[in-house]
Amino acid sequence: MDKLLIRGGSVLKGEVAMSGAKNAALPILCASLLSADPLELVNVPQLNDISTMLRLLGDMGIGVRRAGEDGLTLDGSGLNNPVASYEMVKTMRASILVLGPLVARCGEARVSLPGGCAIGARPVDQHIKGLQAMGAEVTVEQGYVHARATRLKGARICTDMVTVTGTENLMMAACLADGETIIENAAREPEVVDLANCLIAMGARISGAGTDIIRIQGVDRLHGARHAIMPDRIETGTYLCAAAVTGGDVRLTKTSAAYLDSVVDKLMDAGCDVVVERDAIRLTAPARLKSVSLRTAPYPAFPTDMQAQFMAMNCVADGVATIRETIFENRFMHVNELMRLGASIQIEGNNAIVRGVGQLQGATVMATDLRASASLIIAGLVAQGETLIDRIYHLDRGYERIEQKLAALGASVERVR
């Protein structure tokens, strides 16, 4: 099993391009289920989760043709198997995103329940509740969600909680429903907006994406389209944190600060100078960071997917910070690993109190989830000596060529066995 070996002490400097957003690409790939016409996509990141989704779609009869490094054409004309098996779904929870499109186009879907998630509960009951409101008959049997509907009907849906994948699933389903669907308490994430923009390019009638009320007027069919996946805001934030913790000076290209207000604000509070360009961000870090407290919450508040990276920064910052996690109940699993590197962290319920120390020490640590992996890299970059990160398969789910990109900025990072 691959590991990542980091020799700490390098200052990150230079320029590197960011990739397309995984969390936008996955639902947009599923949008190909809604039409028999080709969907052309560019800026698709090369990640394990993307490969898994493409295999799942291929099992359903979707044709997949690659074009260059980041291009894909998905052909939905051969869709003939509206089933997502447990063997595929168990490796990636985002597979649940095929449920809504399949019911909308095929009138039936059989999708395995995703099972557990390391960072906490991610129930699919809101997906089921929304489809039932649209007239689907839904049963859960032998670990599968089985949904049927001759044609979905427009409905007013108010989710009990803000759910990104639930909003995306129901929005895709509503595109081919009869009449108007209104989703209240909708997720406002930029990735939801990117999906909506792709669906609109395919002929969907959607308004309100990016607000908490989304209206979809159903149409009889969607057609093919060409769409560019948005930049990955979490990858961008991760590299900004890596530069900040090393006292670096980096320019990240092919990205945007438009969806990173809360992250950029916190970086500036930590003492960084951030210059925003049209499609790039430059960060210059101080000699030592200042501690910054934060509280995670749904967009546009501070993202839970950046909590671990900022915790790593706070481990060597001047002062004491309180980090409050409100989204997932198990998202402090990286704490024990950071403490192996010499961090001073105290957990009190869903709060972490981080006291900055003068120096971290390299050690062997284990990645527990995707963003925890990123936090260990950030800590390893500033730790004295060598840090060996085990179970980095998590990284390959969400960060494209991370060791090459860090090396391009001057880090000493290599993949080892």
Side-chain angles (χ1 to χ4, degrees):
M1 187 178 294
D2 287 359
K3 303 175 177 65
L4 212 60
L5 178 64
I6 303 173
R7 297 175 181 88
S10 299
V11 176
L12 298 194
K13 293 184 177 180
E15 183 174 294
V16 69
M18 296 293 95
S19 301
K22 179 196 79 158
N23 289 338
L26 289 172
I28 288 171
L29 291 177
C30 295
S32 66
L33 294 165
L34 291 166
S35 175
D37 298 338
L39 176 61
E40 297 179 35
L41 301 174
V42 295
N43 204 32
V44 181
Q46 296 184 37
L47 302 168
N48 285 353
D49 275 8
I50 299 296
S51 298
T52 300
M53 183 63 81
L54 291 175
R55 288 198 302 274
L56 175 59
L57 294 172
D59 286 349
M60 295 176 180
I62 301 295
V64 179
R65 186 173 74 252
R66 295 188 179 272
E69 279 194 8
D70 66 359
L72 284 174
T73 297
L74 303 173
D75 183 354
S77 61
L79 175 61
N80 58 8
N81 180 36
V83 177
S85 71
Y86 174 69
E87 288 305 310
M88 296 298 294
V89 174
K90 71 178 181 180
T91 63
M92 185 182 64
R93 293 189 55 88
S95 303
I96 194 67
L97 285 163
V98 303
L99 179 62
L102 285 175
V103 178
R105 183 166 166 218
C106 301
E108 184 173 13
R110 192 164 179 266
V111 179
S112 172
L113 288 168
C117 177
I119 60 176
R122 299 190 184 188
V124 300
D125 59 321
Q126 300 304 303
H127 306 238
I128 294 173
K129 173 186 171 183
L131 289 174
Q132 288 174 328
M134 297 168 72
E137 176 189 338
V138 184
T139 58
V140 179
E141 49 198 17
Q142 298 180 319
Y144 280 77
V145 178
H146 192 185
R148 309 176 192 84
T150 302
R151 186 181 182 187
L152 295 172
K153 306 292 184 182
R156 185 169 186 156
I157 303 167
C158 184
T159 59
D160 297 335
M161 56 185 288
V162 176
T163 162
V164 176
T165 54
T167 299
E168 292 167 339
N169 229 339
L170 298 175
M171 184 167 64
M172 285 190 282
C175 288
L176 296 180
D178 181 18
E180 184 182 58
T181 298
I182 301 173
I183 304 174
E184 299 181 353
N185 199 28
R188 300 165 60 188
E189 270 70 5
E191 293 80 9
V192 174
V193 178
D194 203 33
L195 171 61
N197 289 339
C198 177
L199 293 169
I200 290 168
M202 296 171 68
R205 297 172 61 189
I206 301 171
S207 62
T211 75
D212 59 358
I213 299 178
I214 301 176
R215 296 176 182 270
I216 308 102
Q217 189 70 42
V219 298
D220 291 334
R221 65 178 299 273
L222 296 182
H223 52 70
R226 179 179 172 85
H227 180 78
I229 306 294
M230 66 175 282
D232 195 318
R233 61 191 174 104
I234 304 301
E235 181 193 35
T236 300
T238 299
Y239 280 89
L240 291 174
C241 288
V245 82
T246 64
D249 183 352
V250 303
R251 183 171 179 266
L252 308 182
T253 62
K254 291 185 65 177
T255 189
S256 171
Y259 314 119
L260 281 169
D261 287 348
S262 61
V263 171
V264 169
D265 286 349
K266 290 296 181 181
L267 286 166
M268 294 175 70
D269 289 346
C272 298
D273 180 47
V274 181
V275 177
V276 174
E277 303 173 31
R278 188 177 67 84
D279 57 358
I281 305 173
R282 181 175 178 180
L283 179 141
T284 306
R288 189 178 185 193
L289 298 169
K290 293 180 286 188
S291 291
V292 288
S293 295
L294 58 92
R295 176 183 183 275
T296 67
Y299 188 86
F302 192 91
T304 181
D305 278 354
M306 285 300 304
Q307 176 255 106
Q309 297 91 314
F310 268 77
M311 184 180 291
M313 280 176 45
N314 279 322
C315 287
V316 292
D318 182 24
V320 180
T322 299
I323 295 176
R324 184 174 180 84
E325 173 61 54
T326 73
I327 307 296
F328 294 117
E329 65 271 22
N330 295 332
R331 206 156 203 183
F332 283 152
M333 291 190 295
H334 46 281
V335 167
N336 287 337
E337 303 304 305
L338 289 171
M339 290 174 68
R340 284 181 53 78
L341 299 173
S344 176
I345 307 171
Q346 181 181 350
I347 300 297
E348 296 179 359
N350 62 342
N351 294 314
I353 295 93
V354 187
R355 292 174 173 83
V357 299
Q359 181 69 64
L360 297 177
Q361 302 292 327
T364 298
V365 292
M366 180 179 68
T368 54
D369 63 70
L370 173 56
R371 306 309 173 185
S373 306
S375 76
L376 296 177
I377 288 177
I378 291 168
L381 289 171
V382 76
Q384 186 176 61
E386 293 186 347
T387 298
L388 186 66
I389 305 175
D390 200 357
R391 294 177 63 182
I392 62 164
Y393 58 84
H394 292 290
L395 275 173
D396 296 328
R397 291 183 46 238
Y399 290 96
E400 184 177 42
R401 303 191 307 273
I402 190 167
E403 64 268 35
Q404 291 99 317
K405 290 186 180 184
L406 287 170
L409 295 174
S412 177
V413 181
E414 64 177 309
R415 191 174 289 243
V416 299
R417 291 210 175 252

